[in-house]
């Protein structure tokens, strides 16, 4: 199917569906083919169940205020204490639940 730019603008959803269904869609400019609308090839990633099974378990205090403070200091340096105030607030909110 070939359509001009104005038609393509007005019927883009229809044209995308046609291209996804395997139909060749060409968009023309003043009757001259300019571009072809084609689906993007999806890269299939081979996933293997249990790929993370060999990782060590997380520490019991992985989400403690102290651990979060250490991370904030490492990432934000002197600004980490401002972030820490927010983390402490979050910790208080969690304990109230």
């Amino acid at each position: 199917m070939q359509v001009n730019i104005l038609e393509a603008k007005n019927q883009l959803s229809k044209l995308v569906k046609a291209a996804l269904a395997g139909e060749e869609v060409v968009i023309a400019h003043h009757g001259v083919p300019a571009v072809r609308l084609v689906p993007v090839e999806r890269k299939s990633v081979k996933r293997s169940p249990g790929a993370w099974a060999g990782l060590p378990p997380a520490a019991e205090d992985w989400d403690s205020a102290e651990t979060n403070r250490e991370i904030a200091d490492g990432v934000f340096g002197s600004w980490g204490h401002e972030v820490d105030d927010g983390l402490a607030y979050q910790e208080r909110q969690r304990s109230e639940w």
Side-chain angles (χ1 to χ4, degrees):
M1 144 185 352
Q2 180 171 313
V3 296
N4 66 37
I5 292 177
L6 181 60
E7 287 177 286
K9 176 183 167 188
N10 293 331
Q11 300 179 16
L12 183 60
S13 296
K14 176 184 164 190
L15 297 175
V16 168
K17 287 178 185 176
L20 290 173
E23 189 173 340
E24 182 177 291
V25 178
V26 176
I27 301 174
H29 183 65
H30 297 295
V32 178
V35 295
R36 181 176 289 121
L37 188 59
V38 295
V40 174
E41 290 183 31
R42 296 182 185 196
K43 296 179 182 178
S44 62
V45 177
K46 185 177 180 184
R47 297 181 58 169
S48 11
W52 291 15
L55 293 177
E60 289 292 323
D61 66 342
W62 72 272
D63 195 26
S64 69
E66 182 180 338
T67 301
N68 288 332
R69 189 176 314 108
E70 289 174 13
I71 293 169
D73 285 345
V75 173
F76 299 106
S78 63
W79 294 358
H81 298 290
E82 295 173 18
V83 174
D84 181 46
D85 292 340
L87 295 172
Y89 173 77
Q90 290 175 358
E91 189 65 32
R92 284 193 305 275
Q93 292 298 317
R94 272 195 289 254
S95 66
E96 291 175 7
W97 284 22

Coordinates of all heavy atoms in Angstrom, one line a residue:
M1 N 0.9 -1.2 0.0 CA 0.0 0.0 0.0 C 0.9 1.2 0.0 O 1.9 1.3 0.7 CB -0.9 -0.1 1.3 CG -1.2 1.2 1.9 SD -2.1 1.3 3.5 CE -2.7 -0.3 3.8
Q2 N 0.5 2.2 -0.8 CA 1.3 3.5 -0.9 C 0.3 4.6 -0.5 O -0.8 4.6 -1.1 CB 1.9 3.7 -2.2 CG 2.7 5.0 -2.3 CD 3.5 5.1 -3.6 OE1 4.2 4.2 -3.9 NE2 3.4 6.3 -4.2
V3 N 0.7 5.5 0.4 CA -0.1 6.6 0.7 C 0.8 7.9 0.7 O 2.0 7.8 0.9 CB -0.7 6.5 2.1 CG1 -1.7 5.3 2.2 CG2 0.3 6.3 3.2
N4 N 0.1 9.0 0.5 CA 0.9 10.3 0.5 C 1.1 10.7 2.0 O 0.4 10.2 2.9 CB 0.3 11.3 -0.4 CG -1.0 11.8 0.1 OD1 -1.3 11.9 1.3 ND2 -1.9 12.1 -0.8
I5 N 1.9 11.7 2.2 CA 2.2 12.1 3.6 C 0.9 12.6 4.4 O 0.8 12.2 5.5 CB 3.3 13.2 3.6 CG1 4.6 12.6 3.1 CG2 3.4 13.9 5.0 CD1 5.7 13.6 3.0
L6 N 0.1 13.3 3.7 CA -1.1 13.8 4.4 C -2.0 12.6 4.8 O -2.5 12.6 5.9 CB -1.9 14.7 3.5 CG -3.2 15.3 4.1 CD1 -2.9 16.1 5.3 CD2 -3.9 16.2 3.1
E7 N -2.2 11.6 3.9 CA -3.0 10.4 4.3 C -2.3 9.7 5.5 O -3.0 9.2 6.4 CB -3.1 9.5 3.1 CG -4.0 9.9 2.0 CD -4.0 8.9 0.9 OE1 -3.0 8.9 0.1 OE2 -5.0 8.2 0.7
A8 N -1.0 9.6 5.4 CA -0.2 8.9 6.4 C -0.4 9.6 7.8 O -0.6 8.9 8.8 CB 1.2 8.8 6.1
K9 N -0.4 10.9 7.8 CA -0.6 11.7 9.0 C -2.0 11.4 9.6 O -2.2 11.2 10.8 CB -0.5 13.2 8.7 CG -0.7 14.1 9.8 CD -0.6 15.5 9.4 CE -1.2 16.4 10.5 NZ -1.3 17.8 10.1
N10 N -3.0 11.3 8.7 CA -4.4 11.2 9.2 C -4.7 9.7 9.5 O -5.7 9.4 10.2 CB -5.4 11.7 8.1 CG -5.3 13.2 8.0 OD1 -5.0 13.9 8.9 ND2 -5.6 13.7 6.8
Q11 N -4.0 8.8 9.0 CA -4.3 7.3 9.2 C -3.1 6.6 9.8 O -2.9 5.4 9.5 CB -4.7 6.7 7.9 CG -5.9 7.3 7.2 CD -6.2 6.7 5.9 OE1 -5.7 5.6 5.6 NE2 -7.0 7.3 5.1
L12 N -2.3 7.2 10.6 CA -1.1 6.6 11.1 C -1.4 5.3 11.9 O -0.7 4.3 11.7 CB -0.3 7.6 12.0 CG 1.0 7.0 12.5 CD1 2.0 6.7 11.4 CD2 1.7 8.0 13.5
S13 N -2.4 5.3 12.7 CA -2.7 4.1 13.5 C -3.0 2.9 12.6 O -2.5 1.8 12.8 CB -3.9 4.3 14.4 OG -3.6 5.3 15.4
K14 N -3.8 3.2 11.6 CA -4.2 2.1 10.6 C -3.0 1.6 9.9 O -2.8 0.4 9.7 CB -5.2 2.7 9.6 CG -5.6 1.7 8.5 CD -6.5 2.4 7.5 CE -6.6 1.7 6.2 NZ -7.3 2.4 5.2
L15 N -2.1 2.5 9.5 CA -0.9 2.1 8.7 C 0.1 1.3 9.6 O 0.7 0.4 9.1 CB -0.2 3.4 8.2 CG -1.0 4.2 7.2 CD1 -0.2 5.5 6.8 CD2 -1.3 3.3 5.9
V16 N 0.2 1.7 10.9 CA 1.1 0.9 11.8 C 0.5 -0.5 11.9 O 1.3 -1.4 11.9 CB 1.2 1.7 13.1 CG1 1.8 0.8 14.2 CG2 2.0 3.0 13.0
K17 N -0.8 -0.6 12.1 CA -1.4 -1.9 12.3 C -1.1 -2.8 11.0 O -0.8 -4.0 11.1 CB -2.9 -1.8 12.5 CG -3.2 -1.3 13.9 CD -4.7 -1.2 14.2 CE -5.0 -0.6 15.5 NZ -6.4 -0.4 15.8
A18 N -1.3 -2.1 9.8 CA -1.0 -2.8 8.6 C 0.4 -3.3 8.5 O 0.7 -4.5 8.1 CB -1.4 -1.9 7.4
A19 N 1.4 -2.5 8.9 CA 2.8 -2.8 8.8 C 3.1 -4.0 9.8 O 3.8 -4.9 9.5 CB 3.7 -1.6 9.1
L20 N 2.5 -3.9 11.0 CA 2.7 -4.9 12.0 C 2.1 -6.3 11.5 O 2.6 -7.3 11.9 CB 2.1 -4.5 13.3 CG 2.8 -3.4 14.1 CD1 2.0 -3.0 15.3 CD2 4.2 -3.9 14.4
A21 N 1.0 -6.2 10.7 CA 0.4 -7.4 10.1 C 1.2 -8.0 9.0 O 0.8 -9.0 8.4 CB -1.0 -7.1 9.7
G22 N 2.3 -7.3 8.5 CA 3.1 -7.8 7.5 C 2.9 -7.1 6.1 O 3.5 -7.5 5.1
E23 N 2.0 -6.2 6.0 CA 1.7 -5.5 4.8 C 2.8 -4.5 4.5 O 3.3 -3.8 5.5 CB 0.3 -4.8 4.9 CG -0.1 -4.3 3.5 CD -1.5 -3.8 3.6 OE1 -2.3 -4.2 4.5 OE2 -1.9 -2.9 2.8
E24 N 3.2 -4.3 3.3 CA 4.2 -3.3 2.9 C 3.5 -1.9 2.9 O 2.5 -1.7 2.2 CB 4.8 -3.6 1.6 CG 5.9 -2.6 1.3 CD 6.6 -2.9 0.0 OE1 7.4 -3.9 -0.1 OE2 6.4 -2.1 -1.0
V25 N 4.0 -1.0 3.7 CA 3.4 0.4 3.7 C 4.5 1.4 3.3 O 5.6 1.4 3.9 CB 2.9 0.7 5.1 CG1 2.4 2.1 5.1 CG2 1.9 -0.3 5.6
V26 N 4.2 2.1 2.2 CA 5.2 3.1 1.7 C 4.5 4.4 1.7 O 3.3 4.6 1.4 CB 5.5 2.8 0.2 CG1 6.4 3.8 -0.4 CG2 6.2 1.4 0.1
I27 N 5.2 5.4 2.3 CA 4.7 6.8 2.3 C 5.5 7.6 1.3 O 6.7 7.6 1.2 CB 5.0 7.4 3.7 CG1 4.3 6.5 4.8 CG2 4.5 8.8 3.8 CD1 4.6 6.9 6.2
A28 N 4.6 8.3 0.4 CA 5.2 9.0 -0.7 C 5.1 10.5 -0.5 O 4.2 11.0 0.3 CB 4.4 8.6 -2.0
H29 N 6.0 11.2 -1.1 CA 6.0 12.7 -1.1 C 5.8 13.1 -2.5 O 6.6 12.9 -3.4 CB 7.3 13.2 -0.5 CG 7.4 14.7 -0.4 ND1 6.6 15.4 0.5 CD2 8.2 15.6 -1.0 CE1 6.9 16.7 0.4 NE2 7.8 16.8 -0.6
H30 N 4.6 13.8 -2.8 CA 4.2 14.2 -4.2 C 4.3 13.0 -5.1 O 4.8 13.1 -6.3 CB 5.1 15.3 -4.7 CG 5.0 16.6 -3.9 ND1 3.9 17.3 -3.9 CD2 6.0 17.2 -3.1 CE1 4.1 18.4 -3.1 NE2 5.3 18.3 -2.6
G31 N 3.8 11.8 -4.7 CA 3.7 10.7 -5.5 C 5.0 9.9 -5.6 O 5.0 8.8 -6.3
V32 N 6.0 10.3 -5.1 CA 7.3 9.6 -5.2 C 7.6 8.9 -3.8 O 7.6 9.5 -2.8 CB 8.5 10.6 -5.4 CG1 9.8 9.9 -5.5 CG2 8.2 11.4 -6.7
P33 N 7.8 7.6 -3.9 CA 8.0 6.8 -2.6 C 9.2 7.5 -1.9 O 10.2 7.7 -2.4 CB 8.3 5.4 -3.1 CG 7.7 5.3 -4.4 CD 7.8 6.7 -5.0
A34 N 8.9 7.7 -0.6 CA 10.0 8.4 0.3 C 10.5 7.5 1.4 O 11.7 7.3 1.6 CB 9.4 9.7 0.8
V35 N 9.5 6.8 2.1 CA 9.9 6.0 3.2 C 9.0 4.7 3.3 O 7.9 4.7 2.7 CB 9.8 6.7 4.6 CG1 10.8 7.9 4.7 CG2 8.4 7.2 4.9
R36 N 9.6 3.7 3.9 CA 8.8 2.5 4.1 C 8.6 2.3 5.6 O 9.5 2.5 6.4 CB 9.6 1.3 3.5 CG 8.9 0.0 3.7 CD 9.7 -1.2 3.0 NE 9.6 -1.0 1.6 CZ 10.6 -0.9 0.8 NH1 11.9 -0.9 1.3 NH2 10.5 -0.7 -0.5
L37 N 7.4 2.0 5.9 CA 7.0 1.8 7.3 C 7.1 0.3 7.6 O 6.4 -0.6 7.0 CB 5.6 2.2 7.6 CG 5.1 2.3 9.0 CD1 5.9 3.2 9.9 CD2 3.6 2.7 9.0
V38 N 8.1 -0.1 8.5 CA 8.3 -1.5 8.8 C 8.3 -1.7 10.3 O 8.7 -0.8 11.1 CB 9.6 -2.0 8.2 CG1 9.6 -2.0 6.7 CG2 10.8 -1.2 8.7
P39 N 8.0 -2.9 10.8 CA 8.0 -3.2 12.2 C 9.5 -3.2 12.7 O 10.4 -3.6 11.9 CB 7.3 -4.5 12.4 CG 6.9 -4.9 11.1 CD 7.4 -4.0 10.0
V40 N 9.7 -2.9 13.9 CA 11.0 -3.0 14.5 C 11.3 -4.5 14.9 O 10.4 -5.1 15.5 CB 11.1 -2.1 15.8 CG1 12.4 -2.3 16.5 CG2 10.9 -0.7 15.4
E41 N 12.4 -5.0 14.5 CA 12.7 -6.4 14.9 C 13.1 -6.4 16.4 O 13.9 -5.6 16.9 CB 14.0 -6.9 14.1 CG 13.7 -7.1 12.7 CD 14.9 -7.6 11.9 OE1 15.7 -8.4 12.6 OE2 15.0 -7.3 10.7
R42 N 12.4 -7.3 17.1 CA 12.6 -7.4 18.5 C 13.7 -8.5 18.7 O 13.6 -9.6 18.2 CB 11.3 -7.8 19.2 CG 10.3 -6.8 19.1 CD 9.1 -7.2 19.9 NE 8.0 -6.2 19.6 CZ 7.0 -6.0 20.3 NH1 6.7 -6.8 21.4 NH2 6.1 -5.1 20.1
K43 N 14.7 -8.1 19.5 CA 15.7 -9.0 19.8 C 15.2 -9.9 21.0 O 14.8 -9.4 22.0 CB 17.0 -8.3 20.3 CG 17.6 -7.5 19.2 CD 18.8 -6.7 19.7 CE 19.4 -5.9 18.6 NZ 20.6 -5.1 19.1
S44 N 15.3 -11.2 20.7 CA 14.8 -12.1 21.8 C 16.0 -12.4 22.7 O 17.1 -12.7 22.2 CB 14.3 -13.4 21.2 OG 15.3 -14.1 20.5
V45 N 15.8 -12.2 24.0 CA 16.8 -12.4 24.9 C 16.6 -13.8 25.6 O 15.5 -14.1 26.1 CB 16.8 -11.3 26.0 CG1 17.8 -11.6 27.1 CG2 17.0 -10.0 25.4
K46 N 17.5 -14.7 25.5 CA 17.4 -16.0 26.0 C 17.5 -15.9 27.5 O 18.6 -15.4 28.1 CB 18.4 -17.0 25.5 CG 18.2 -18.4 26.0 CD 19.1 -19.3 25.3 CE 18.8 -20.7 25.9 NZ 19.8 -21.7 25.4
R47 N 16.5 -16.2 28.2 CA 16.5 -16.2 29.7 C 16.6 -17.6 30.2 O 16.0 -18.5 29.7 CB 15.2 -15.5 30.2 CG 15.1 -14.1 29.7 CD 13.9 -13.4 30.2 NE 13.9 -13.5 31.7 CZ 13.0 -12.8 32.5 NH1 12.1 -12.1 31.9 NH2 13.1 -13.0 33.8
S48 N 17.4 -17.7 31.2 CA 17.5 -19.0 31.9 C 17.1 -18.9 33.3 O 17.6 -18.1 34.1 CB 18.9 -19.6 31.8 OG 19.9 -18.6 31.4
P49 N 16.0 -19.7 33.7 CA 15.6 -19.7 35.0 C 16.7 -20.1 36.0 O 17.5 -20.9 35.7 CB 14.5 -20.7 35.0 CG 14.1 -20.9 33.6 CD 15.3 -20.6 32.8
G50 N 16.7 -19.4 37.1 CA 17.7 -19.7 38.1 C 19.1 -19.1 37.9 O 20.0 -19.4 38.5
A51 N 19.1 -18.1 37.0 CA 20.4 -17.5 36.6 C 21.1 -16.8 37.8 O 22.3 -16.7 37.9 CB 20.3 -16.5 35.5
W52 N 20.2 -16.3 38.7 CA 20.7 -15.6 39.9 C 20.8 -16.6 41.1 O 21.1 -16.1 42.2 CB 19.8 -14.5 40.3 CG 19.9 -13.3 39.3 CD1 20.4 -13.3 38.0 CD2 19.4 -12.0 39.5 NE1 20.2 -12.1 37.4 CE2 19.6 -11.3 38.3 CE3 18.8 -11.4 40.5 CZ2 19.3 -10.0 38.2 CZ3 18.4 -10.1 40.4 CH2 18.7 -9.4 39.2
A53 N 20.6 -17.8 40.9 CA 20.5 -18.8 42.1 C 21.9 -18.8 42.8 O 21.9 -19.1 44.0 CB 20.2 -20.2 41.6
G54 N 23.0 -18.6 42.2 CA 24.3 -18.7 42.8 C 24.7 -17.5 43.6 O 25.8 -17.5 44.2
L55 N 23.9 -16.4 43.5 CA 24.3 -15.2 44.2 C 24.1 -15.4 45.7 O 23.2 -16.1 46.2 CB 23.4 -14.0 43.8 CG 23.5 -13.6 42.4 CD1 22.5 -12.5 42.1 CD2 24.9 -13.1 42.1
P56 N 25.0 -14.7 46.5 CA 24.9 -14.9 48.0 C 23.6 -14.2 48.4 O 23.1 -13.2 47.8 CB 26.1 -14.1 48.5 CG 26.6 -13.3 47.4 CD 26.1 -13.9 46.1
P57 N 23.0 -14.6 49.5 CA 21.8 -14.0 50.0 C 22.1 -12.6 50.5 O 23.2 -12.3 50.9 CB 21.4 -14.9 51.2 CG 22.6 -15.6 51.6 CD 23.4 -15.8 50.4
A58 N 21.1 -11.7 50.5 CA 21.3 -10.4 51.0 C 21.4 -10.4 52.5 O 20.9 -11.2 53.2 CB 20.0 -9.5 50.6
A59 N 22.2 -9.4 53.0 CA 22.4 -9.3 54.4 C 21.1 -8.9 55.1 O 20.2 -8.3 54.5 CB 23.5 -8.2 54.7
E60 N 21.0 -9.3 56.3 CA 19.8 -9.0 57.1 C 19.5 -7.5 57.2 O 18.3 -7.1 57.1 CB 19.9 -9.6 58.5 CG 19.8 -11.1 58.6 CD 18.4 -11.6 58.2 OE1 17.4 -11.0 58.5 OE2 18.4 -12.7 57.5
D61 N 20.5 -6.7 57.2 CA 20.4 -5.3 57.4 C 20.5 -4.5 56.0 O 20.8 -3.3 56.0 CB 21.4 -4.7 58.4 CG 22.8 -4.8 57.8 OD1 23.0 -5.6 56.9 OD2 23.7 -4.1 58.4
W62 N 20.2 -5.2 54.9 CA 20.4 -4.6 53.6 C 19.6 -3.3 53.4 O 20.0 -2.4 52.7 CB 20.0 -5.5 52.5 CG 18.6 -5.8 52.4 CD1 17.8 -6.7 53.0 CD2 17.6 -5.1 51.5 NE1 16.5 -6.7 52.6 CE2 16.4 -5.7 51.7 CE3 17.8 -4.0 50.6 CZ2 15.2 -5.2 51.1 CZ3 16.6 -3.6 50.0 CH2 15.4 -4.2 50.2
D63 N 18.5 -3.1 54.2 CA 17.7 -1.9 54.0 C 17.6 -1.1 55.3 O 16.7 -0.3 55.5 CB 16.3 -2.3 53.5 CG 15.5 -1.1 53.0 OD1 16.1 -0.1 52.5 OD2 14.3 -1.1 53.1
S64 N 18.6 -1.2 56.2 CA 18.6 -0.5 57.4 C 19.0 0.9 57.2 O 19.6 1.3 56.2 CB 19.6 -1.2 58.4 OG 20.9 -0.9 58.0
A65 N 18.7 1.8 58.2 CA 19.0 3.2 58.1 C 20.5 3.4 58.0 O 21.0 4.2 57.2 CB 18.4 3.9 59.3
E66 N 21.3 2.6 58.7 CA 22.7 2.7 58.7 C 23.3 2.3 57.3 O 24.1 3.1 56.7 CB 23.4 1.8 59.7 CG 24.9 1.9 59.8 CD 25.5 1.0 60.8 OE1 24.8 0.6 61.8 OE2 26.7 0.7 60.7
T67 N 22.8 1.3 56.7 CA 23.3 0.9 55.4 C 22.9 1.9 54.3 O 23.7 2.3 53.5 CB 22.7 -0.5 55.0 OG1 23.0 -1.5 55.9 CG2 23.1 -0.9 53.6
N68 N 21.7 2.5 54.4 CA 21.2 3.5 53.5 C 22.1 4.8 53.7 O 22.4 5.5 52.7 CB 19.8 3.8 53.7 CG 18.9 2.7 53.2 OD1 19.3 2.0 52.3 ND2 17.7 2.6 53.8
R69 N 22.5 5.1 54.9 CA 23.3 6.2 55.2 C 24.7 6.0 54.5 O 25.2 7.0 53.9 CB 23.5 6.5 56.7 CG 24.2 7.8 57.1 CD 24.2 8.0 58.6 NE 22.9 7.8 59.3 CZ 22.7 6.7 60.1 NH1 23.6 5.8 60.3 NH2 21.5 6.5 60.6
E70 N 25.3 4.8 54.7 CA 26.6 4.6 54.0 C 26.5 4.7 52.5 O 27.4 5.3 51.9 CB 27.0 3.2 54.4 CG 27.4 3.0 55.8 CD 27.7 1.5 56.2 OE1 27.9 0.7 55.3 OE2 27.8 1.2 57.4
I71 N 25.4 4.2 52.0 CA 25.2 4.3 50.5 C 25.1 5.8 50.1 O 25.7 6.3 49.2 CB 24.0 3.5 50.0 CG1 24.3 2.0 50.2 CG2 23.7 3.8 48.6 CD1 23.1 1.2 50.0
A72 N 24.3 6.5 50.8 CA 24.1 8.0 50.5 C 25.4 8.7 50.7 O 25.7 9.6 49.8 CB 23.0 8.6 51.5
D73 N 26.2 8.4 51.7 CA 27.5 9.1 51.9 C 28.4 8.8 50.7 O 29.1 9.6 50.2 CB 28.1 8.8 53.2 CG 27.5 9.4 54.4 OD1 26.7 10.4 54.2 OD2 27.7 9.0 55.5
G74 N 28.4 7.5 50.3 CA 29.2 7.1 49.1 C 28.8 7.8 47.8 O 29.6 8.1 47.0
V75 N 27.5 7.9 47.6 CA 27.0 8.5 46.4 C 27.0 10.0 46.4 O 27.4 10.7 45.4 CB 25.6 8.0 46.1 CG1 25.0 8.7 44.9 CG2 25.6 6.5 45.9
F76 N 26.5 10.6 47.5 CA 26.3 12.0 47.5 C 27.3 12.8 48.3 O 27.3 14.0 48.3 CB 24.9 12.4 48.1 CG 23.8 11.8 47.3 CD1 23.1 10.7 47.7 CD2 23.5 12.4 46.1 CE1 22.0 10.2 47.0 CE2 22.4 11.8 45.3 CZ 21.7 10.7 45.8
G77 N 28.2 12.1 49.0 CA 29.3 12.8 49.8 C 28.6 13.6 50.9 O 27.8 13.2 51.6
S78 N 29.0 14.9 50.9 CA 28.5 15.8 52.0 C 27.0 16.0 51.9 O 26.4 16.4 52.9 CB 29.3 17.1 52.0 OG 29.1 17.8 50.7
W79 N 26.5 15.8 50.7 CA 25.0 16.0 50.5 C 24.3 14.8 51.1 O 23.1 14.9 51.2 CB 24.7 16.2 49.1 CG 25.2 17.5 48.5 CD1 25.9 18.5 49.1 CD2 25.0 17.9 47.1 NE1 26.2 19.4 48.2 CE2 25.7 19.1 47.0 CE3 24.4 17.3 46.0 CZ2 25.7 19.8 45.8 CZ3 24.4 18.0 44.8 CH2 25.1 19.2 44.7
G80 N 24.9 13.8 51.4 CA 24.3 12.5 51.8 C 23.4 12.7 53.0 O 22.5 12.0 53.2
H81 N 23.8 13.7 53.9 CA 23.0 13.8 55.1 C 21.7 14.4 54.9 O 20.7 14.1 55.6 CB 23.8 14.7 56.1 CG 25.1 14.1 56.5 ND1 25.2 13.0 57.3 CD2 26.4 14.4 56.1 CE1 26.4 12.6 57.4 NE2 27.2 13.4 56.7
E82 N 21.5 15.2 53.8 CA 20.2 15.7 53.4 C 19.4 14.5 52.9 O 18.2 14.4 53.3 CB 20.3 16.7 52.3 CG 21.0 18.0 52.7 CD 21.2 18.9 51.5 OE1 20.6 18.7 50.5 OE2 22.1 19.8 51.7
V83 N 20.0 13.6 52.2 CA 19.3 12.4 51.7 C 19.0 11.5 52.9 O 17.9 10.9 53.0 CB 20.1 11.6 50.7 CG1 19.5 10.3 50.3 CG2 20.3 12.5 49.4
D84 N 19.9 11.4 53.9 CA 19.7 10.6 55.0 C 18.5 11.0 55.8 O 17.8 10.2 56.4 CB 21.0 10.7 55.9 CG 20.8 9.8 57.2 OD1 20.4 8.6 57.0 OD2 21.1 10.2 58.3
D85 N 18.3 12.3 55.9 CA 17.1 12.8 56.6 C 15.8 12.2 56.0 O 14.9 11.8 56.7 CB 17.0 14.3 56.6 CG 18.1 15.0 57.4 OD1 18.7 14.3 58.3 OD2 18.4 16.1 57.2
G86 N 15.8 12.2 54.7 CA 14.7 11.6 54.0 C 14.6 10.1 54.2 O 13.5 9.5 54.4
L87 N 15.7 9.4 54.3 CA 15.8 8.0 54.5 C 15.3 7.7 55.9 O 14.6 6.7 56.2 CB 17.2 7.4 54.3 CG 17.7 7.5 52.9 CD1 19.2 7.0 52.8 CD2 16.9 6.6 52.0
A88 N 15.7 8.5 56.9 CA 15.3 8.3 58.3 C 13.8 8.5 58.4 O 13.1 7.8 59.1 CB 16.0 9.3 59.2
Y89 N 13.3 9.5 57.6 CA 11.8 9.7 57.6 C 11.1 8.5 57.0 O 10.1 8.0 57.6 CB 11.5 10.9 56.7 CG 10.0 11.1 56.5 CD1 9.2 11.7 57.5 CD2 9.4 10.8 55.3 CE1 7.8 11.8 57.3 CE2 8.1 10.9 55.0 CZ 7.3 11.5 56.0 OH 5.9 11.6 55.8
Q90 N 11.6 7.9 56.0 CA 11.0 6.7 55.4 C 11.1 5.5 56.4 O 10.1 4.8 56.5 CB 11.8 6.3 54.1 CG 11.5 7.2 52.9 CD 12.4 6.9 51.7 OE1 13.2 6.0 51.8 NE2 12.2 7.6 50.7
E91 N 12.2 5.4 57.1 CA 12.3 4.4 58.1 C 11.3 4.5 59.2 O 10.7 3.6 59.7 CB 13.7 4.4 58.7 CG 14.1 3.2 59.6 CD 14.1 1.9 58.8 OE1 14.5 1.9 57.6 OE2 13.8 0.9 59.4
R92 N 11.1 5.8 59.6 CA 10.0 6.0 60.7 C 8.6 5.7 60.1 O 7.8 5.1 60.8 CB 10.1 7.5 61.1 CG 11.2 7.8 62.0 CD 11.0 9.2 62.7 NE 10.8 10.3 61.7 CZ 11.8 11.0 61.1 NH1 13.0 10.7 61.4 NH2 11.5 11.9 60.3
Q93 N 8.4 6.0 58.9 CA 7.1 5.7 58.3 C 6.9 4.2 58.2 O 5.8 3.7 58.5 CB 7.0 6.3 56.8 CG 7.0 7.8 56.8 CD 5.8 8.3 57.5 OE1 4.7 7.9 57.4 NE2 6.0 9.4 58.3
R94 N 7.9 3.4 57.9 CA 7.8 2.0 57.8 C 7.5 1.4 59.2 O 6.8 0.4 59.3 CB 9.1 1.4 57.2 CG 9.1 1.3 55.7 CD 10.1 0.4 55.2 NE 11.4 1.0 55.4 CZ 12.2 1.5 54.4 NH1 11.7 1.4 53.2 NH2 13.3 2.0 54.7
S95 N 8.2 1.9 60.2 CA 8.0 1.3 61.5 C 6.6 1.6 62.1 O 6.1 0.9 62.9 CB 9.1 1.9 62.5 OG 8.9 3.3 62.7
E96 N 6.0 2.7 61.5 CA 4.6 3.0 62.0 C 3.6 2.1 61.4 O 2.5 2.0 61.9 CB 4.3 4.5 61.7 CG 5.1 5.4 62.5 CD 4.9 6.9 62.1 OE1 4.0 7.1 61.3 OE2 5.6 7.7 62.6
W97 N 3.9 1.4 60.3 CA 3.0 0.5 59.6 C 2.8 -0.7 60.5 O 2.2 -1.5 60.7 CB 3.5 0.1 58.3 CG 3.3 1.2 57.3 CD1 3.2 2.5 57.5 CD2 3.3 1.1 55.8 NE1 3.1 3.2 56.3 CE2 3.2 2.4 55.3 CE3 3.4 0.0 55.0 CZ2 3.1 2.6 53.9 CZ3 3.4 0.2 53.7 CH2 3.2 1.5 53.2

